[in-house]
Amino acid sequence: MKRSFYEYLMTLRNTESVEPEAEFANNAFRDQSFPKHEQDYEKLSEYLELNAGYLPSMTIFDEVFEKYQYTDRK
């Protein structure tokens, strides 16, 4: 079974990192409303655009989502 985007994102958490991907993961971890079981790009993108003031650029999400898709194809 394919893991959710959130499950993948949590593998990028690092509270000591200032890398955009790690900061995204750290902030998503603290976001109580993050859609934790979602795999769909459009649904995740819409949620983040409307609710994630902690994400300075949607480009970060796009890059992480692309890695998520690649990683989970293996």
Side-chain angles (χ1 to χ4, degrees):
M1 185 163 131
K2 184 176 178 181
R3 62 185 163 171
S4 71
F5 175 73
Y6 180 81
E7 291 172 314
Y8 171 75
L9 187 60
M10 291 302 99
T11 68
L12 305 177
R13 282 186 65 214
N14 181 347
T15 57
E16 297 179 18
S17 176
V18 293
E19 291 298 316
E21 292 179 355
E23 289 186 346
F24 175 27
N26 295 337
N27 287 321
F29 177 73
R30 291 188 288 274
D31 181 351
Q32 297 292 321
S33 300
F34 195 94
K36 293 177 175 62
H37 302 288
E38 192 58 63
Q39 298 174 356
D40 182 71
Y41 174 87
E42 294 300 327
K43 290 178 182 176
L44 288 160
S45 180
E46 181 178 346
Y47 173 81
L48 292 168
E49 287 175 1
L50 297 174
N51 301 292
Y54 55 80
L55 190 60
S57 169
M58 286 300 288
T59 302
I60 298 166
F61 165 66
D62 291 338
E63 291 170 356
V64 173
F65 194 84
E66 187 174 318
K67 290 177 185 177
Y68 160 67
Q69 287 185 310
Y70 176 77
T71 300
D72 273 26
R73 283 188 193 147
K74 291 182 176 183

